[in-house]
Coordinates of all heavy atoms in Angstrom, one line a residue:
D1 N 0.8 -1.2 0.0 CA 0.0 0.0 0.0 C 0.9 1.3 0.0 O 2.1 1.2 0.2 CB -1.0 -0.1 1.1 CG -0.5 0.3 2.5 OD1 0.7 0.2 2.8 OD2 -1.3 0.8 3.3
L2 N 0.3 2.4 -0.2 CA 1.0 3.6 -0.3 C 1.8 4.0 0.9 O 3.0 4.4 0.8 CB 0.1 4.8 -0.7 CG 0.7 6.1 -1.0 CD1 1.6 6.0 -2.2 CD2 -0.4 7.1 -1.3
D3 N 1.2 3.8 2.1 CA 2.0 4.1 3.3 C 3.2 3.2 3.5 O 4.3 3.7 3.9 CB 1.1 3.9 4.5 CG 0.0 4.9 4.6 OD1 0.2 6.1 4.1 OD2 -1.1 4.7 5.3
T4 N 3.1 1.9 3.1 CA 4.3 1.0 3.1 C 5.4 1.5 2.2 O 6.6 1.5 2.5 CB 3.9 -0.4 2.8 OG1 2.9 -0.8 3.6 CG2 5.1 -1.3 2.8
L5 N 5.0 2.0 1.0 CA 6.0 2.5 0.0 C 6.7 3.8 0.6 O 7.9 4.0 0.5 CB 5.4 2.7 -1.3 CG 5.0 1.5 -2.1 CD1 4.4 1.9 -3.4 CD2 6.3 0.6 -2.3
H6 N 5.9 4.6 1.2 CA 6.4 5.9 1.8 C 7.4 5.5 2.9 O 8.5 6.1 3.0 CB 5.3 6.7 2.3 CG 4.6 7.5 1.3 ND1 3.4 8.2 1.6 CD2 4.9 7.7 0.0 CE1 3.0 8.7 0.4 NE2 3.8 8.4 -0.5
A7 N 7.1 4.5 3.7 CA 8.0 4.1 4.8 C 9.2 3.5 4.2 O 10.3 3.7 4.7 CB 7.3 3.1 5.7
A8 N 9.1 2.7 3.1 CA 10.3 2.1 2.5 C 11.2 3.1 1.9 O 12.4 3.1 2.1 CB 9.9 1.1 1.4
Y9 N 10.6 4.1 1.3 CA 11.4 5.2 0.8 C 12.1 6.0 1.9 O 13.3 6.2 1.8 CB 10.5 6.2 0.0 CG 11.2 7.5 -0.4 CD1 12.1 7.5 -1.4 CD2 10.9 8.7 0.3 CE1 12.7 8.7 -1.7 CE2 11.6 9.9 0.0 CZ 12.5 9.9 -1.0 OH 13.1 11.1 -1.3
A10 N 11.4 6.3 3.0 CA 12.0 7.0 4.1 C 13.2 6.2 4.7 O 14.2 6.8 5.0 CB 11.0 7.4 5.1
L11 N 12.9 4.9 4.9 CA 13.9 4.1 5.5 C 15.2 4.0 4.6 O 16.3 4.1 5.0 CB 13.4 2.7 5.7 CG 14.3 1.7 6.3 CD1 14.9 2.1 7.7 CD2 13.7 0.3 6.5
G12 N 14.9 3.9 3.3 CA 16.0 3.8 2.3 C 16.8 5.1 2.4 O 18.1 5.1 2.3
I13 N 16.2 6.3 2.5 CA 16.9 7.5 2.6 C 17.7 7.6 3.8 O 18.9 7.9 3.9 CB 15.9 8.7 2.5 CG1 15.2 8.8 1.1 CG2 16.6 10.0 2.8 CD1 16.2 9.0 0.0
R14 N 17.1 7.3 5.0 CA 17.7 7.4 6.3 C 19.0 6.5 6.4 O 19.9 6.8 7.0 CB 16.8 7.1 7.4 CG 15.9 8.3 7.8 CD 15.3 8.1 9.2 NE 14.4 6.9 9.2 CZ 13.2 6.9 8.9 NH1 12.5 8.0 8.5 NH2 12.4 5.8 9.0
S15 N 18.8 5.3 5.8 CA 19.9 4.3 5.9 C 20.8 4.3 4.8 O 21.8 3.5 4.7 CB 19.3 2.9 6.0 OG 18.6 2.5 4.9
R16 N 20.6 5.3 3.8 CA 21.4 5.4 2.6 C 21.4 4.1 1.7 O 22.3 3.8 1.1 CB 22.9 5.9 3.0 CG 22.9 7.2 3.7 CD 24.3 7.7 4.0 NE 25.1 7.9 2.9 CZ 25.1 9.0 2.1 NH1 24.4 10.0 2.4 NH2 26.0 9.1 1.1
N17 N 20.3 3.5 1.8 CA 20.1 2.3 1.0 C 19.3 2.8 -0.3 O 18.1 2.7 -0.4 CB 19.2 1.3 1.8 CG 19.0 0.0 1.0 OD1 19.1 -0.1 -0.2 ND2 18.7 -1.1 1.8
W18 N 20.1 3.2 -1.2 CA 19.6 3.8 -2.4 C 18.7 2.9 -3.2 O 17.6 3.3 -3.7 CB 20.7 4.5 -3.3 CG 21.6 5.4 -2.5 CD1 22.9 5.4 -2.6 CD2 21.2 6.4 -1.6 NE1 23.5 6.4 -1.8 CE2 22.4 7.0 -1.1 CE3 20.0 6.9 -1.1 CZ2 22.5 8.0 -0.2 CZ3 20.1 7.9 -0.1 CH2 21.3 8.5 0.3
P19 N 19.1 1.6 -3.4 CA 18.3 0.7 -4.1 C 16.8 0.6 -3.5 O 15.8 0.5 -4.2 CB 19.0 -0.6 -4.1 CG 20.4 -0.2 -4.0 CD 20.4 1.0 -3.1
M20 N 16.7 0.5 -2.2 CA 15.4 0.4 -1.5 C 14.6 1.7 -1.8 O 13.4 1.6 -2.2 CB 15.6 0.3 0.0 CG 14.2 0.3 0.7 SD 14.4 0.4 2.5 CE 15.1 -1.3 2.9
A21 N 15.2 2.8 -1.7 CA 14.5 4.1 -1.9 C 14.0 4.2 -3.4 O 12.9 4.6 -3.6 CB 15.3 5.3 -1.5
I22 N 14.9 3.8 -4.3 CA 14.6 3.8 -5.7 C 13.5 2.9 -6.0 O 12.5 3.2 -6.7 CB 15.8 3.5 -6.5 CG1 16.8 4.7 -6.5 CG2 15.5 3.2 -8.0 CD1 18.2 4.5 -7.0
E23 N 13.5 1.7 -5.5 CA 12.5 0.7 -5.7 C 11.1 1.2 -5.2 O 10.1 1.0 -5.9 CB 12.8 -0.7 -5.1 CG 11.8 -1.8 -5.3 CD 11.6 -2.2 -6.7 OE1 12.5 -2.0 -7.5 OE2 10.5 -2.7 -7.0
A24 N 11.1 1.8 -4.0 CA 9.9 2.3 -3.5 C 9.2 3.3 -4.4 O 8.1 3.3 -4.6 CB 10.1 2.9 -2.1
L25 N 10.1 4.3 -4.9 CA 9.5 5.3 -5.8 C 9.1 4.7 -7.1 O 8.1 5.1 -7.7 CB 10.6 6.4 -6.0 CG 10.9 7.2 -4.8 CD1 12.1 8.1 -5.2 CD2 9.7 8.0 -4.4
Q26 N 9.8 3.7 -7.7 CA 9.4 3.1 -8.9 C 8.1 2.4 -8.8 O 7.2 2.4 -9.6 CB 10.5 2.2 -9.4 CG 11.7 2.9 -9.9 CD 12.8 1.9 -10.2 OE1 12.9 0.8 -9.7 NE2 13.7 2.4 -11.1
R27 N 7.9 1.7 -7.6 CA 6.6 1.0 -7.4 C 5.5 2.1 -7.2 O 4.4 1.8 -7.7 CB 6.7 0.1 -6.1 CG 7.5 -1.1 -6.4 CD 7.6 -1.9 -5.2 NE 8.4 -3.1 -5.4 CZ 8.2 -4.3 -5.0 NH1 7.0 -4.5 -4.3 NH2 9.0 -5.3 -5.2
R28 N 5.8 3.1 -6.5 CA 4.8 4.2 -6.4 C 4.4 4.8 -7.7 O 3.2 5.0 -8.0 CB 5.3 5.3 -5.5 CG 4.2 6.4 -5.2 CD 4.7 7.4 -4.1 NE 5.5 8.4 -4.7 CZ 5.6 9.6 -4.2 NH1 5.1 9.8 -3.0 NH2 6.4 10.5 -4.8
N29 N 5.4 4.9 -8.6 CA 5.0 5.4 -10.0 C 4.0 4.5 -10.7 O 3.1 5.0 -11.4 CB 6.3 5.6 -10.8 CG 6.9 6.9 -10.7 OD1 6.4 7.8 -10.1 ND2 8.1 7.0 -11.2
R30 N 4.3 3.2 -10.6 CA 3.4 2.2 -11.3 C 2.0 2.2 -10.7 O 1.1 2.1 -11.4 CB 4.1 0.8 -11.2 CG 5.3 0.7 -12.1 CD 5.8 -0.7 -12.3 NE 6.2 -1.3 -11.1 CZ 7.5 -1.3 -10.6 NH1 8.4 -0.6 -11.2 NH2 7.8 -1.9 -9.4
A31 N 1.9 2.2 -9.4 CA 0.6 2.0 -8.7 C -0.1 3.3 -8.5 O -1.4 3.3 -8.5 CB 0.8 1.3 -7.3
W32 N 0.6 4.4 -8.4 CA -0.1 5.7 -8.1 C 0.5 6.7 -9.0 O 1.2 7.6 -8.6 CB 0.1 6.1 -6.6 CG -0.7 5.2 -5.7 CD1 -2.0 5.4 -5.3 CD2 -0.3 4.1 -5.0 NE1 -2.5 4.4 -4.5 CE2 -1.4 3.6 -4.2 CE3 0.9 3.4 -4.9 CZ2 -1.3 2.4 -3.5 CZ3 1.0 2.3 -4.2 CH2 -0.1 1.8 -3.4
P33 N 0.1 6.7 -10.3 CA 0.7 7.6 -11.2 C 0.4 9.1 -10.9 O 1.1 10.0 -11.4 CB 0.0 7.2 -12.6 CG -1.2 6.4 -12.2 CD -0.9 5.8 -10.8
Q34 N -0.5 9.4 -10.1 CA -0.8 10.8 -9.7 C 0.4 11.4 -8.9 O 0.5 12.6 -8.8 CB -2.1 11.0 -8.9 CG -2.1 10.3 -7.6 CD -2.6 8.9 -7.6 OE1 -2.5 8.1 -8.5 NE2 -3.3 8.5 -6.5
Y35 N 1.3 10.6 -8.4 CA 2.5 11.0 -7.7 C 3.7 11.0 -8.6 O 4.8 11.2 -8.0 CB 2.7 10.2 -6.5 CG 1.6 10.3 -5.5 CD1 0.8 9.2 -5.2 CD2 1.3 11.5 -4.8 CE1 -0.3 9.3 -4.3 CE2 0.3 11.5 -3.8 CZ -0.5 10.5 -3.6 OH -1.5 10.6 -2.7
A36 N 3.6 10.7 -9.9 CA 4.7 10.5 -10.7 C 5.7 11.7 -10.8 O 6.9 11.5 -10.8 CB 4.3 10.1 -12.2
V37 N 5.2 12.9 -10.9 CA 6.1 14.1 -11.0 C 7.0 14.1 -9.8 O 8.2 14.2 -9.9 CB 5.3 15.4 -11.2 CG1 6.2 16.6 -11.1 CG2 4.6 15.4 -12.5
D38 N 6.4 14.0 -8.6 CA 7.2 14.0 -7.3 C 8.1 12.9 -7.3 O 9.3 13.0 -6.9 CB 6.2 13.9 -6.1 CG 6.9 13.9 -4.8 OD1 7.6 14.9 -4.5 OD2 6.9 12.9 -4.1
S39 N 7.7 11.7 -7.7 CA 8.6 10.5 -7.7 C 9.7 10.7 -8.6 O 10.9 10.3 -8.3 CB 7.8 9.3 -8.0 OG 6.9 8.9 -7.1
W40 N 9.5 11.2 -9.8 CA 10.6 11.3 -10.8 C 11.6 12.4 -10.3 O 12.8 12.2 -10.4 CB 10.1 11.7 -12.2 CG 9.5 10.5 -12.9 CD1 8.2 10.3 -13.2 CD2 10.3 9.3 -13.3 NE1 8.1 9.1 -13.8 CE2 9.3 8.5 -13.9 CE3 11.6 8.9 -13.3 CZ2 9.7 7.2 -14.5 CZ3 11.9 7.7 -13.8 CH2 11.0 6.9 -14.4
L41 N 11.1 13.5 -9.7 CA 12.1 14.4 -9.1 C 12.9 13.8 -8.0 O 14.1 14.0 -8.0 CB 11.3 15.7 -8.5 CG 10.7 16.6 -9.5 CD1 9.8 17.6 -8.8 CD2 11.8 17.4 -10.3
K42 N 12.3 13.0 -7.2 CA 13.0 12.4 -6.1 C 14.0 11.3 -6.7 O 15.1 11.2 -6.2 CB 12.1 11.7 -5.1 CG 11.4 12.7 -4.2 CD 10.4 12.1 -3.3 CE 9.8 13.2 -2.4 NZ 8.6 12.7 -1.6
L43 N 13.6 10.6 -7.7 CA 14.5 9.7 -8.4 C 15.7 10.4 -8.9 O 16.8 10.0 -8.8 CB 13.8 8.9 -9.4 CG 12.9 7.7 -8.9 CD1 11.9 7.3 -10.0 CD2 13.7 6.6 -8.4
G44 N 15.5 11.5 -9.6 CA 16.6 12.3 -10.1 C 17.5 12.7 -9.0 O 18.8 12.6 -9.1
D45 N 17.0 13.1 -7.9 CA 17.9 13.4 -6.7 C 18.7 12.2 -6.2 O 19.9 12.3 -5.9 CB 17.1 14.0 -5.6 CG 16.5 15.3 -5.9 OD1 16.9 16.0 -6.8 OD2 15.5 15.7 -5.1
L46 N 18.0 11.1 -6.2 CA 18.6 9.8 -5.8 C 19.7 9.3 -6.7 O 20.7 8.8 -6.2 CB 17.6 8.7 -5.6 CG 16.8 8.8 -4.3 CD1 15.7 7.8 -4.4 CD2 17.6 8.5 -3.1
Y47 N 19.6 9.6 -8.0 CA 20.6 9.2 -8.9 C 21.7 10.2 -9.0 O 22.7 9.9 -9.8 CB 19.9 9.0 -10.3 CG 19.1 7.8 -10.5 CD1 17.8 7.9 -10.9 CD2 19.6 6.5 -10.2 CE1 17.0 6.7 -11.1 CE2 18.8 5.4 -10.3 CZ 17.5 5.5 -10.8 OH 16.8 4.4 -10.9
S48 N 21.7 11.3 -8.3 CA 22.7 12.3 -8.4 C 24.0 11.7 -7.8 O 24.0 10.7 -7.1 CB 22.3 13.5 -7.6 OG 22.4 13.3 -6.2
P49 N 25.2 12.4 -8.1 CA 26.5 11.9 -7.7 C 26.6 11.8 -6.2 O 27.3 10.9 -5.6 CB 27.5 12.9 -8.2 CG 26.8 13.4 -9.4 CD 25.3 13.4 -9.1
A50 N 25.8 12.6 -5.4 CA 25.9 12.5 -4.0 C 25.3 11.3 -3.4 O 25.5 10.9 -2.3 CB 25.1 13.7 -3.4
N51 N 24.5 10.6 -4.2 CA 23.8 9.4 -3.7 C 24.2 8.2 -4.6 O 25.2 7.6 -4.4 CB 22.3 9.6 -3.8 CG 21.9 10.8 -2.9 OD1 22.3 10.8 -1.7 ND2 21.1 11.7 -3.4
A52 N 23.3 7.7 -5.5 CA 23.5 6.5 -6.3 C 24.6 6.7 -7.4 O 25.0 5.8 -8.0 CB 22.2 6.0 -6.9
D53 N 24.9 8.0 -7.7 CA 25.9 8.3 -8.7 C 25.7 7.8 -10.1 O 26.5 7.0 -10.6 CB 27.3 8.0 -8.2 CG 28.4 8.7 -9.0 OD1 28.1 9.7 -9.7 OD2 29.5 8.2 -8.9
D54 N 24.5 8.1 -10.7 CA 24.2 7.7 -12.0 C 23.6 8.9 -12.8 O 22.4 9.0 -12.9 CB 23.2 6.5 -12.0 CG 23.2 5.8 -13.4 OD1 23.4 6.5 -14.4 OD2 22.8 4.6 -13.4
P55 N 24.5 9.8 -13.2 CA 24.0 11.0 -13.8 C 23.1 10.8 -15.0 O 22.2 11.6 -15.2 CB 25.3 11.8 -14.2 CG 26.4 11.2 -13.4 CD 26.0 9.8 -13.1
K56 N 23.3 9.8 -15.8 CA 22.4 9.6 -17.0 C 21.0 9.3 -16.5 O 20.0 9.8 -17.0 CB 22.9 8.4 -17.8 CG 24.1 8.8 -18.7 CD 24.5 7.6 -19.6 CE 25.7 8.0 -20.4 NZ 26.1 7.0 -21.3
K57 N 20.8 8.5 -15.4 CA 19.5 8.2 -14.9 C 18.9 9.4 -14.2 O 17.7 9.6 -14.2 CB 19.6 6.9 -13.9 CG 19.7 5.6 -14.6 CD 19.6 4.5 -13.7 CE 19.8 3.2 -14.4 NZ 19.6 2.0 -13.5
A58 N 19.8 10.2 -13.6 CA 19.3 11.4 -13.0 C 18.7 12.3 -14.0 O 17.5 12.8 -13.8 CB 20.4 12.1 -12.2
I59 N 19.4 12.5 -15.1 CA 18.8 13.4 -16.1 C 17.5 12.8 -16.7 O 16.6 13.6 -16.9 CB 19.9 13.6 -17.3 CG1 21.1 14.4 -16.7 CG2 19.3 14.2 -18.5 CD1 22.3 14.4 -17.7
E60 N 17.5 11.5 -17.0 CA 16.3 10.9 -17.5 C 15.1 11.1 -16.5 O 14.0 11.3 -16.9 CB 16.5 9.4 -17.8 CG 15.3 8.8 -18.4 CD 14.7 9.4 -19.7 OE1 15.5 10.0 -20.5 OE2 13.5 9.4 -19.9
A61 N 15.4 10.9 -15.2 CA 14.3 11.0 -14.2 C 13.8 12.5 -14.2 O 12.6 12.7 -14.2 CB 14.8 10.6 -12.9
Y62 N 14.7 13.4 -14.2 CA 14.2 14.8 -14.2 C 13.4 15.2 -15.5 O 12.5 15.9 -15.5 CB 15.5 15.8 -14.1 CG 16.1 15.8 -12.7 CD1 17.5 15.7 -12.6 CD2 15.3 15.9 -11.6 CE1 18.1 15.7 -11.4 CE2 15.9 15.9 -10.3 CZ 17.3 15.8 -10.2 OH 17.9 15.9 -9.0
R63 N 13.9 14.6 -16.6 CA 13.1 14.8 -17.9 C 11.7 14.3 -17.8 O 10.8 14.9 -18.2 CB 13.9 14.2 -19.1 CG 15.0 15.0 -19.5 CD 15.6 14.4 -20.8 NE 16.7 15.2 -21.2 CZ 17.9 14.7 -21.7 NH1 18.0 13.5 -21.9 NH2 18.9 15.6 -22.1
Q64 N 11.6 13.1 -17.2 CA 10.3 12.5 -17.0 C 9.4 13.4 -16.1 O 8.2 13.5 -16.4 CB 10.4 11.1 -16.4 CG 10.9 10.0 -17.3 CD 9.9 9.7 -18.4 OE1 8.7 9.7 -18.2 NE2 10.4 9.4 -19.5
A65 N 10.0 13.9 -15.1 CA 9.2 14.7 -14.2 C 8.6 16.0 -14.9 O 7.5 16.3 -14.8 CB 10.1 15.2 -13.0
I66 N 9.5 16.6 -15.7 CA 9.0 17.8 -16.5 C 8.0 17.4 -17.5 O 7.0 18.1 -17.7 CB 10.2 18.5 -17.1 CG1 11.1 19.1 -16.0 CG2 9.8 19.5 -18.1 CD1 12.5 19.5 -16.5
E67 N 8.3 16.3 -18.2 CA 7.4 15.8 -19.3 C 6.0 15.5 -18.7 O 4.9 15.8 -19.4 CB 7.9 14.6 -20.0 CG 7.1 14.1 -21.1 CD 7.8 13.0 -21.9 OE1 9.0 13.1 -22.2 OE2 7.1 11.9 -22.0
L68 N 5.9 14.9 -17.5 CA 4.6 14.5 -17.0 C 3.9 15.6 -16.3 O 2.7 15.5 -16.0 CB 4.9 13.3 -16.0 CG 5.3 12.0 -16.7 CD1 5.7 11.0 -15.6 CD2 4.2 11.5 -17.5
A69 N 4.6 16.7 -16.0 CA 3.9 17.8 -15.3 C 2.9 18.5 -16.3 O 3.2 18.5 -17.5 CB 5.0 18.8 -14.9
P70 N 1.8 19.0 -15.8 CA 0.9 19.7 -16.7 C 1.7 20.9 -17.3 O 2.6 21.5 -16.6 CB -0.2 20.2 -15.7 CG -0.2 19.2 -14.6 CD 1.3 18.8 -14.4
P71 N 1.4 21.2 -18.5 CA 2.2 22.3 -19.2 C 2.3 23.6 -18.4 O 3.4 24.2 -18.4 CB 1.4 22.5 -20.5 CG 0.7 21.2 -20.8 CD 0.4 20.7 -19.4
Q72 N 1.3 24.0 -17.7 CA 1.4 25.2 -17.0 C 2.3 25.2 -15.7 O 2.6 26.2 -15.2 CB -0.1 25.7 -16.5 CG -0.8 24.8 -15.5 CD -1.6 23.7 -16.1 OE1 -1.4 23.3 -17.3 NE2 -2.6 23.3 -15.4
Y73 N 2.7 23.9 -15.4 CA 3.6 23.8 -14.2 C 5.0 23.4 -14.5 O 5.8 23.2 -13.7 CB 3.0 22.8 -13.2 CG 1.7 23.3 -12.6 CD1 0.5 22.6 -12.9 CD2 1.6 24.4 -11.8 CE1 -0.7 23.1 -12.4 CE2 0.4 24.8 -11.3 CZ -0.7 24.1 -11.6 OH -1.9 24.6 -11.1
R74 N 5.3 23.2 -15.8 CA 6.6 22.7 -16.2 C 7.7 23.5 -15.8 O 8.8 23.1 -15.4 CB 6.7 22.4 -17.7 CG 5.8 21.1 -18.0 CD 5.9 20.7 -19.4 NE 5.0 19.5 -19.6 CZ 4.5 19.2 -20.7 NH1 4.7 20.0 -21.8 NH2 3.8 18.1 -20.8
K75 N 7.6 24.9 -15.9 CA 8.6 25.8 -15.5 C 8.9 25.6 -14.0 O 10.1 25.6 -13.5 CB 8.2 27.2 -15.8 CG 9.3 28.2 -15.5 CD 8.8 29.6 -15.9 CE 10.0 30.7 -15.5 NZ 9.6 32.0 -15.8
Q76 N 7.8 25.5 -13.2 CA 8.1 25.4 -11.7 C 8.7 24.0 -11.4 O 9.6 24.0 -10.5 CB 6.7 25.5 -11.0 CG 6.1 26.8 -11.0 CD 5.1 27.1 -12.1 OE1 5.3 26.5 -13.2 NE2 4.1 27.9 -11.9
V77 N 8.3 23.0 -12.1 CA 9.0 21.7 -11.9 C 10.4 21.7 -12.2 O 11.3 21.2 -11.5 CB 8.2 20.6 -12.7 CG1 9.0 19.2 -12.6 CG2 6.8 20.4 -12.1
R78 N 10.7 22.4 -13.4 CA 12.1 22.5 -13.8 C 13.0 23.2 -12.7 O 14.1 22.9 -12.5 CB 12.2 23.3 -15.1 CG 13.6 23.2 -15.8 CD 13.5 23.9 -17.2 NE 14.7 23.6 -17.9 CZ 15.9 24.2 -17.7 NH1 16.1 25.1 -16.8 NH2 17.0 23.8 -18.4
E79 N 12.4 24.2 -12.0 CA 13.1 24.9 -11.0 C 13.4 24.0 -9.8 O 14.3 24.3 -9.0 CB 12.3 26.1 -10.5 CG 12.2 27.2 -11.5 CD 13.6 27.8 -11.9 OE1 14.4 28.0 -11.0 OE2 13.8 27.9 -13.2
L80 N 12.7 22.9 -9.7 CA 12.9 21.9 -8.6 C 14.1 21.0 -8.9 O 14.5 20.2 -8.0 CB 11.6 21.2 -8.3 CG 10.5 22.0 -7.7 CD1 9.2 21.2 -7.6 CD2 10.8 22.7 -6.4
V81 N 14.5 21.0 -10.1 CA 15.6 20.1 -10.6 C 16.9 20.5 -10.0 O 17.1 21.8 -9.9 CB 15.6 20.0 -12.1 CG1 16.9 19.3 -12.6 CG2 14.4 19.4 -12.7
D82 N 17.7 19.7 -9.6 CA 19.1 20.0 -9.1 C 19.7 20.9 -10.1 O 19.8 20.6 -11.3 CB 19.9 18.7 -9.0 CG 21.3 18.9 -8.4 OD1 21.9 19.9 -8.6 OD2 21.7 18.0 -7.7
P83 N 20.2 22.0 -9.6 CA 20.8 23.0 -10.6 C 21.9 22.5 -11.5 O 22.1 23.0 -12.6 CB 21.4 24.1 -9.6 CG 20.5 24.0 -8.5 CD 20.2 22.6 -8.3
A84 N 22.6 21.5 -11.0 CA 23.7 20.9 -11.8 C 23.2 20.2 -13.0 O 24.0 20.0 -14.0 CB 24.5 19.9 -10.9
Y85 N 21.9 19.9 -13.1 CA 21.3 19.2 -14.2 C 20.5 20.0 -15.1 O 20.1 19.6 -16.2 CB 20.6 18.0 -13.7 CG 21.4 16.9 -13.1 CD1 21.5 16.8 -11.7 CD2 22.1 16.0 -13.9 CE1 22.3 15.8 -11.2 CE2 22.9 15.1 -13.3 CZ 23.0 14.9 -11.9 OH 23.8 14.0 -11.4
R86 N 20.1 21.2 -14.7 CA 19.1 22.0 -15.4 C 19.5 22.3 -16.9 O 18.7 22.2 -17.8 CB 18.8 23.3 -14.7 CG 17.8 23.1 -13.6 CD 17.4 24.5 -13.0 NE 17.0 24.2 -11.7 CZ 17.3 25.1 -10.7 NH1 17.9 26.2 -10.9 NH2 16.9 24.8 -9.5
D87 N 20.8 22.6 -17.1 CA 21.2 22.9 -18.4 C 21.3 21.7 -19.3 O 21.4 21.8 -20.6 CB 22.6 23.5 -18.4 CG 22.6 24.9 -17.8 OD1 21.5 25.5 -17.8 OD2 23.6 25.4 -17.4
S88 N 21.2 20.5 -18.8 CA 21.2 19.2 -19.5 C 19.9 18.8 -20.0 O 19.7 17.8 -20.7 CB 21.9 18.1 -18.7 OG 23.2 18.4 -18.4
L89 N 18.8 19.5 -19.5 CA 17.4 19.1 -19.9 C 16.9 19.8 -21.1 O 17.3 20.9 -21.5 CB 16.5 19.4 -18.7 CG 17.0 18.7 -17.4 CD1 16.1 19.2 -16.2 CD2 16.8 17.2 -17.6

C-alpha cells in the first residue's frame, strides 16, 4: 500500500540504501501515477552523484518529471531540478 512505500522510501533515505528508496519510488510510480512528478524528481535526486551516482539516470528522471507535469507547471517543476542538471534538460 502507499503508506508502506512511503515508509520504505524514508527508510532507504535514512539508511542510505539507495536501491530500496529507488524501488519504493518506482513502485509508487506504477501503482499511483498521480504522484509521478514528485517520484521522478526524487528519483533524479537519488541518482545524483551525492547518492547513487548515475548522472544519466538522474537526467532521465528529471526529464520524465518535467514531461509528466501539466504544461502550466513545467517551469516550476524545472526549478525543482538539481541546478547541476538543469542545463542538460
Side-chain angles (χ1 to χ4, degrees):
D1 81 332
L2 186 58
D3 290 334
T4 302
L5 290 176
H6 285 167
Y9 169 75
L11 179 60
I13 294 296
R14 277 196 303 271
S15 64
R16 299 181 61 83
N17 182 338
W18 310 135
M20 176 190 289
I22 289 166
E23 179 67 23
L25 290 173
Q26 289 172 337
R27 286 179 184 224
R28 185 172 85 158
N29 272 348
R30 288 190 298 273
W32 289 275
Q34 66 268 34
Y35 298 111
V37 172
D38 178 65
S39 293
W40 284 113
L41 285 169
K42 288 177 178 172
L43 282 163
D45 293 343
L46 282 170
Y47 286 126
S48 73
N51 301 310
D53 195 19
D54 194 333
K56 286 183 181 182
K57 285 187 178 180
I59 291 168
E60 182 56 33
Y62 289 134
R63 282 186 180 143
Q64 286 291 325
I66 293 168
E67 183 177 306
L68 291 172
Q72 67 270 26
Y73 296 114
R74 288 184 180 154
K75 183 177 180 183
Q76 291 93 329
V77 170
R78 192 174 192 283
E79 290 299 314
L80 297 173
V81 169
D82 184 326
Y85 292 100
R86 279 190 206 139
D87 290 339
S88 299
L89 301 175

